[in-house]
Amino acid sequence: MNVALASPPMPIPGHVDPVPVPRPAVPRADGRTDLIGLSRPEIRDALAAAGLDARQAKLRTKQLWHWIYNRGVTEFAAMTDIAKAQHPLFERHFVIGRPDVKEAQVSNDGTRKWLLTSPDGQDYEMVFIPDADRGTLCVSSQVGCTLNCTFCHTGTMRLVRNLTPGEIVGQVMLARDALGEWPSQPEGRMLTNIVMMGMGEPLYNFDAVRDALGVVMDGDGLALSKRRITLSTSGVVPMMARAGAEIGVNLAVSLHAVTKEVRDEIVPLNRKYGIEELLQACADYPGANNARRITFEYVMLRDKNDSDADARELVRLLRKYQLPAKVNLIPFNPWPGTVYECSTPERIRAFSDIVFEGGISAPVRRTRGQDIGAACGQLKTSAEKKSRAERDREAAFLADPA
């Protein structure tokens, strides 16, 4: 993986405005630099620091970028257009890393979940969700989360630290390895979409998320279009305009309630940035239009946010701000210790009908990966103690299910 960060827990000021303080990077134990997640200028500077002159550093950066992000190569010896005499220099100073897989699971519906661990011993998760016409990778941005959304299993964890750009990009690289999707090409991919909806609040790790997605969207490498990437936020209003301007991907908002009382309870960040302020930030989001609608995530909680009155208020609010919107209705996935229950299918259907009748798309999301704890709102590391051999067999199956 990329350089690790120190592991002590970050101070958490409370449920409101819990902005984490980034920890200083800690060099790899072997002194080498992981190239995954570095920008082209950062790679060029690293090569120069290793002793290459400016012309050589520029040329080798272009070649390395192609081999790493287009071909998926992890060994310098496989880079046939780089002089063999330079391979030892690269191997001495650099590594092309991947996350360490601690546990890998496959759902009976084909959903895959990986529990990953960093060099400093922190665990985080990623999920791949295959569909007939697309394959979506759900990527984490933090180890744990500070937002304490009461319906979300990940929200019961304390935030440990931000993920680095390399740890974010590494999730995509590992998925491409497992799916056998090298060399990179835009047609015929299984992994077609990315959603920043895993562990953590992406806008509280803005710089790393921006830099990582810049690598993912680069046309000479992984080449995923910004129209195929969605960033989900619980409503960090001050960062939303920057996300639109500097990243430019699709926006999803974890709304989940239409009254202050209920949203204050289930999404405590609402006490800092209220619903009206959040919806105004959505209206101002750069690039939002009818072709690129903002997605509003709405988890269905029985007798909490699922009444006809709630549905009508949702329509009213979205119309008031003239938002190009789509509402994803998400059946709640219960987890041990939760105080909430999922709305009945009949109630969800009635809610959806009211929103549709208001002229707003409101499909009900199909639950995926529930049997392996990979469903929406369930991500929380809870690996059972298994032997190394068992974990290796699971990882091998994910890499080659045949």
Side-chain angles (χ1 to χ4, degrees):
M1 275 312 303
N2 209 354
V3 290
L5 301 183
S7 58
M10 294 179 180
I12 301 177
H15 295 302
V16 178
D17 201 24
V19 181
V21 179
R23 297 287 178 179
V26 176
R28 287 173 54 94
D30 61 11
R32 294 188 292 174
T33 298
D34 194 334
L35 297 178
I36 295 296
L38 299 185
S39 66
R40 281 190 178 86
E42 288 171 331
I43 294 176
R44 189 167 60 245
D45 290 347
L47 294 178
L52 273 64
D53 62 37
R55 179 176 171 277
Q56 277 285 310
K58 181 178 180 180
L59 172 63
R60 297 310 181 204
T61 296
K62 182 177 180 180
Q63 292 170 319
L64 286 168
W65 194 272
H66 173 80
W67 284 107
I68 292 170
Y69 293 116
N70 191 279
R71 309 290 295 187
V73 165
T74 58
E75 301 292 336
F76 295 109
M79 301 180 181
T80 54
D81 59 353
I82 295 178
K84 289 184 179 180
Q86 285 191 333
H87 290 171
L89 172 71
F90 289 166
E91 290 166 359
R92 188 163 60 252
H93 289 279
F94 306 110
V95 65
I96 305 167
R98 293 292 190 270
D100 288 329
V101 178
K102 189 171 183 178
E103 185 171 348
Q105 295 175 287
V106 183
S107 169
N108 55 26
D109 64 15
T111 298
R112 306 180 182 195
K113 183 174 79 167
W114 291 263
L115 172 61
L116 310 175
T117 190
S118 64
D120 61 341
Q122 304 302 335
D123 293 344
Y124 55 102
E125 294 177 331
M126 68 183 223
V127 175
F128 177 70
I129 307 164
D131 281 303
D133 60 343
R134 69 176 62 190
T136 301
L137 185 68
C138 184
V139 174
S140 292
S141 58
Q142 296 179 310
V143 180
C145 189
T146 62
L147 295 185
N148 306 106
C149 297
T150 55
F151 65 88
C152 178
H153 203 191
T154 310
T156 65
M157 301 176 66
R158 286 180 63 87
L159 177 71
V160 178
R161 66 168 173 85
N162 291 331
L163 295 180
T164 66
E167 288 169 326
I168 295 170
V169 176
Q171 295 172 64
V172 183
M173 304 296 283
L174 181 65
R176 295 284 294 273
D177 290 347
L179 296 170
E181 298 203 327
W182 304 111
S184 182
Q185 55 187 14
E187 301 300 327
R189 290 176 172 170
M190 290 180 66
L191 199 171
T192 62
N193 294 64
I194 289 175
V195 291
M196 297 299 305
M197 295 182 184
M199 287 183 166
E201 165 55 62
L203 295 187
Y204 277 150
N205 189 17
F206 181 86
D207 289 350
V209 168
R210 176 198 60 205
D211 295 350
L213 291 181
V215 171
V216 170
M217 293 186 288
D218 190 285
D220 293 328
L222 295 173
L224 270 165
S225 165
K226 65 181 180 181
R227 296 179 181 275
R228 294 281 188 169
I229 300 174
T230 299
L231 184 150
S232 177
T233 179
S234 292
V236 186
V237 168
M239 302 302 296
M240 289 170 62
R242 276 191 69 190
E246 297 181 31
I247 306 176
V249 296
N250 300 317
L251 180 68
V253 174
S254 295
L255 188 61
H256 306 307
V258 292
T259 66
K260 174 176 170 52
E261 178 186 14
V262 175
R263 196 164 193 267
D264 279 356
E265 173 192 334
I266 66 176
V267 185
L269 187 64
N270 194 70
R271 302 171 195 167
K272 178 70 175 179
Y273 308 114
I275 293 174
E276 302 272 352
E277 187 178 1
L278 172 59
L279 294 180
Q280 184 59 57
C282 292
D284 297 337
Y285 187 76
N289 54 49
N290 286 329
R292 296 186 64 196
R293 293 176 294 174
I294 294 174
T295 299
F296 290 91
E297 309 286 350
Y298 199 99
V299 67
M300 300 298 296
L301 304 174
R302 185 172 183 174
D303 299 328
K304 178 62 65 173
N305 65 353
D306 62 350
S307 69
D308 287 356
D310 289 321
R312 287 191 288 269
E313 177 63 6
L314 177 58
V315 171
R316 186 192 72 80
L317 285 168
L318 297 181
R319 282 180 169 177
K320 175 182 176 181
Y321 288 91
Q322 299 181 327
L323 291 169
K326 170 187 174 182
V327 178
N328 269 348
L329 300 180
I330 306 167
F332 174 63
N333 295 297
W335 40 267
T338 182
V339 299
Y340 300 112
E341 297 179 15
C342 183
S343 305
T344 65
E346 295 76 18
R347 182 90 298 272
I348 295 174
R349 188 160 46 249
F351 193 103
S352 174
D353 288 344
I354 290 171
V355 180
F356 267 115
E357 289 166 6
I360 299 165
S361 177
V364 179
R365 181 185 291 177
R366 182 162 59 101
T367 298
R368 301 291 300 272
Q370 194 166 9
D371 56 315
I372 58 172
C376 184
Q378 284 188 332
L379 284 189
K380 180 180 180 181
T381 54
S382 55
E384 297 175 357
K385 291 183 178 180
K386 296 185 180 183
S387 71
R388 180 68 194 183
E390 287 176 303
R391 294 201 299 266
D392 286 347
R393 282 196 295 272
E394 289 178 338
F397 176 78
L398 279 174
D400 184 12

